């Protein structure tokens, strides 16, 4: 076990919080897994919340190590500290544990996700409704249990409309609700298969609901948005996603790490490189594979290219959503040109098929790399011209400023990350706070705004693109020579041992994707994946939109949504 000073300090703090000596299961320089008694866990959780730790991940594994039953992993992080403590908790034979959602609001979706996947019960949770298992899934169906084998299932016939909304009372904490005299009524029960999903019901004089989706105009993934309004202002929004669950985590079970890279790339199309690097790095940490320096630098170039084309789409989309297409067009043209550069470098417009545990499947020719510097010199001129045109438009500024504010106070409780958090005054960036790969030597500058509105997110995303260009140029100038793979067979990974019998262990990785912090956790048994957990930035960031729209009007929802730009696919694995 390797521990640095920060990790040792964290272990000492957890021991103090829990009032007992924790059992240390595993440790690396920036992560430590500890098991506490149930009473010790509850004391530590309370103290972690008071010390402003974020719960950045909560997931379950069945038959973990020598333990039977279900093991829960609570991953915490405190701003400015690279090390993450992972509290390990056994669910026991009854499959019940107490909820921590009152302490960590981010836990609510995590717990509902675990409940759907494994059938565990979180007692005292304020919301136990199904999350990714919609009404059509049969009772007792929990696809992440080992007993379930992938294959066709019999879906439940839905009986939408037969079940009335429940009667459990919720606190009227939303902005404007009290002023409107509205009462919030809903149901916090799991609900039976086939029953109509129980949205929160807000009732009062003049209150009406506006349902939007899940089917939308244009090419967009499904998501349902239930607005409650009085007149024009929105005083409540409830979102429902998870309409196209793909079973990615289940599909990884029993596969070799090399076979799973394609699954990681499929999590979200415009974060293919980030998720492939996240998965590969988790495997490399588990197996102790040293990645060649050149491979790490080339990975960083691809990660920044992905950030550039992803954020260009955001800048264009935000302009389109306020009817200013002339501003959007240059950004979309630049995005297409970046795609073409990606294809020249890797053979894939989305940078797919090149990452592998241990490095890269193939080297990138120097001739292709040399084209990037002049390309980005021309790119910068066009980009700055387009951005200046956007910022000189008073009508665009009027639509963006003070619209869709996400308050800084929400960042830690909901674990908001990426441009969203930076625009709300929080400089969190995994490349800086917990550097990995080439980012240990090539750190970007962080762009921060305090407004928290659409305009702040627009400016932060533009700054992120500028900083990515600087990083790419620095990486190209100092690109080392040498191999790009740790072994002789990048297709199979046999030389590194990543897919060979005997490799067992677990590790987590945090990567900074274009939308923020993505978490990958891998558990290998005898060289095969026993459990693969992914939590993208979108999974947490989606919950900010319910707050961002309050006090705004529904016509502003598209631009607020686009400025946050969460991934539907990256949330529904």
């Amino acid at each position: 076990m390797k521990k640095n000073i920060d990790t040792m300090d964290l272990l000492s703090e957890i021991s103090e919080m829990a009032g007992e000596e924790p059992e240390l299961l595993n440790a690396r320089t920036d992560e430590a897994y500890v098991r506490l008694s149930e009473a010790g866990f509850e004391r530590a959780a309370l103290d972690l919340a008071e010390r402003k730790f974020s719960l950045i991940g909560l997931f379950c594994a069945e038959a973990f190590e020598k333990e039977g039953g279900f093991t829960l992993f609570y991953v915490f992080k405190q701003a400015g500290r690279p090390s993450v403590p992972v509290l390990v908790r056994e669910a026991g034979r009854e499959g019940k544990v107490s909820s921590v959602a009152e302490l960590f609001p981010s836990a609510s979706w995590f717990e509902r996700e675990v409940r759907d996947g494994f059938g565990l019960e979180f007692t005292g949770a304020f919301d136990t409704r199904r999350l990714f298992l919609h009404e059509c899934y049969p009772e007792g169906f929990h696809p992440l249990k080992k007993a379930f084998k992938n294959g066709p299932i019999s879906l439940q016939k839905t009986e939408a409309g037969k079940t009335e909304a429940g009667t459990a009372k919720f606190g009227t904490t939303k902005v404007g609700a009290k002023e409107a005299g509205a009462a919030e009524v809903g149901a916090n029960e799991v609900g039976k298969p086939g029953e109509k999903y129980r949205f929160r019901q807000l009732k009062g004089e003049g209150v009406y609901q506006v349902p939007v989706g899940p089917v939308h105009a244009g090419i967009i993934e499904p998501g349902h948005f239930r607005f409650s309004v009085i007149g024009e202002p929105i005083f409540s929004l409830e979102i429902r996603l998870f309409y196209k669950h793909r079973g990615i985590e289940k599909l990884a079970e029993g596969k070799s790490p090399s076979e799973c890279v394609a699954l990681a790339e499929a999590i979200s199309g415009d974060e293919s490189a980030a998720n492939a690097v996240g998965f590969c790095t988790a495997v490399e940490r588990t197996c102790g594979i040293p990645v060649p320096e050149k491979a790490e630098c080339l990975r960083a170039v691809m990660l920044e290219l992905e950030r550039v084309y992803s954020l260009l789409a955001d800048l264009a989309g935000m302009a389109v959503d306020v009817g200013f297409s002339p501003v959007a067009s240059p950004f979309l043209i630049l995005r297409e040109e970046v795609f073409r550069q990606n294809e020249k470098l890797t053979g894939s417009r989305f940078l797919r098929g090149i990452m592998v545990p241990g490095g890269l499947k193939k080297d990138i020719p120097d001739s292709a790399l040399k084209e990037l510097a002049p390309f980005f010199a021309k790119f910068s001129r066009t980009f700055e011209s387009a951005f200046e045109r956007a910022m000189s438009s008073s009508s665009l500024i009027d639509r963006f400023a003070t619209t869709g504010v996400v308050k800084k106070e929400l960042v830690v409780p909901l674990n908001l990350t990426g441009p969203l958090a930076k625009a709300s005054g929080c400089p969190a960036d995994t490349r800086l706070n917990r550097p990995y790969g080439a980012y240990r030597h090539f750190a970007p500058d962080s762009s921060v705004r305090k407004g928290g509105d659409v305009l702040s997110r627009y400016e932060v995303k533009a700054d992120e693109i500028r900083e990515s260009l600087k990083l790419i140029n620095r990486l190209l100038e100092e690109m080392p020579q040498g191999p790009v793979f740790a072994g002789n067979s990048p297709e199979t990974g046999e030389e590194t041992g990543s897919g060979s019998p005997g490799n067992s262990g677990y590790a987590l990785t945090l990567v900074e994707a274009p939308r923020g912090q993505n978490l990958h956790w891998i558990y290998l048994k005898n060289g095969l994946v026993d459990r693969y957990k992914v939590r993208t930035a979108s999974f947490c960031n989606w919950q900010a939109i319910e707050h961002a729209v309050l006090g705004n009007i529904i016509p502003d929802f598209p631009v607020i949504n686009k400025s946050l730009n969460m991934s539907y696919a990256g949330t529904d694995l």
Side-chain angles (χ1 to χ4, degrees), residues 415-469:
N415 188 39
L416 307 179
T417 57
L420 191 168
K422 292 175 183 176
S424 295
C426 294
D429 189 319
T430 307
R431 295 171 295 174
L432 294 168
N433 303 327
R434 199 171 188 271
Y436 51 96
Y439 296 118
R440 298 187 188 95
H441 312 292
F442 296 88
D445 290 332
S446 185
S447 173
V448 178
R449 298 290 190 279
K450 295 182 179 178
D453 55 4
V454 171
L455 180 61
S456 297
R457 292 191 280 276
Y458 196 77
E459 292 174 331
V460 165
K461 291 183 179 191
D463 285 347
E464 292 264 289
I465 290 173
R466 296 186 184 102
E467 197 58 35
S468 291
L469 301 186

Side-chain angles (χ1 to χ4, degrees), residues 75-136:
V75 187
F76 295 94
K77 192 169 189 318
Q78 191 177 40
R81 302 182 72 166
S83 297
V84 293
V86 183
L87 302 192
V88 181
R89 192 183 190 190
E90 304 300 333
R93 293 182 178 179
E94 295 182 352
K96 292 183 179 180
V97 294
S98 58
S99 169
V100 296
E102 293 282 357
L103 296 174
F104 301 96
S106 62
S108 182
W109 275 28
F110 291 145
E111 291 177 351
R112 292 168 67 188
E113 182 186 43
V114 170
R115 184 213 162 273
D116 284 1
F118 292 90
L120 303 189
E121 183 178 340
F122 291 87
T123 57
F126 58 78
D127 189 350
T128 61
R129 292 173 296 176
R130 290 179 168 213
L131 189 70
F132 70 83
L133 293 182
H134 281 209
E135 298 89 306
C136 59

Side-chain angles (χ1 to χ4, degrees), residues 217-228:
I219 303 172
I220 186 173
E221 295 166 285
H224 182 81
F225 304 91
R226 184 69 64 98
F227 297 93
S228 293

Side-chain angles (χ1 to χ4, degrees), residues 517-548:
Q517 175 201 77
N518 287 4
L519 182 153
H520 292 253
W521 187 78
I522 190 80
Y523 177 38
L524 297 179
K525 276 186 179 178
N526 299 321
L528 300 178
V529 175
D530 189 76
R531 179 82 171 96
Y532 175 35
K533 174 60 196 168
V534 183
R535 194 275 298 144
T536 65
S538 294
F539 190 92
C540 296
N541 288 353
W542 264 116
Q543 295 167 72
I545 200 169
E546 294 186 349
H547 301 270

